[in-house]
């Protein structure tokens, strides 16, 4: 059992999209939290430089990747390099 890196209260569950066209993803069991992460994405060893929360790799629609804080809605930290 893994705790959610965003809210730290709830457990992560692995879900598969109904159409099967995209990979499975982790989702927080608390629907109000809203955390999700595609299975296989990387976690950065060093936390967010602004709030110290976990930082994960994310992907844009064009397939390029960037780093994003799980608390980005609050602290705003994103690294495009």
């Amino acid at each position: 059992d893994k705790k959610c890196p965003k809210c730290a209260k709830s457990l992560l569950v692995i879900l598969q999209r109904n159409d099967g066209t995209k990979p499975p993803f982790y989702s927080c069991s608390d629907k109000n939290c809203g955390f999700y992460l595609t299975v296989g994405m990387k976690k950065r060893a060093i936390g967010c430089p602004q709030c110290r929360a976990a930082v994960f790799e994310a992907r844009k629609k064009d397939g390029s990747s960037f780093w994003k804080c799980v608390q980005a809605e609050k602290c705003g930290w994103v690294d495009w390099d």
Side-chain angles (χ1 to χ4, degrees):
D1 293 346
K2 292 185 177 186
K3 293 240 181 221
C4 174
K6 183 176 179 181
C7 73
K9 298 180 218 167
S10 302
L11 297 176
L12 291 179
V13 293
I14 298 178
L15 301 173
Q16 177 67 49
R17 291 174 175 87
N18 291 338
D19 61 7
T21 59
K22 294 184 179 179
F25 62 97
Y26 295 103
S27 178
C28 182
S29 57
D30 179 357
K31 300 213 184 287
N32 293 324
C33 171
F35 176 80
Y36 69 93
L37 178 72
T38 302
V39 171
M41 297 308 257
K42 300 174 191 168
K43 179 180 177 186
R44 198 161 125 170
I46 299 170
C48 174
Q50 288 183 201
C51 72
R52 302 290 175 225
V55 174
F56 288 94
E57 180 183 40
R59 296 210 182 266
K60 296 191 291 185
K61 289 181 181 180
D62 67 5
S64 61
S65 62
F66 62 97
W67 295 101
K68 181 179 178 182
C69 173
V70 295
Q71 300 288 346
E73 299 84 26
K74 293 180 183 176
C75 82
W77 188 84
V78 175
D79 183 1
W80 299 102
D81 293 327

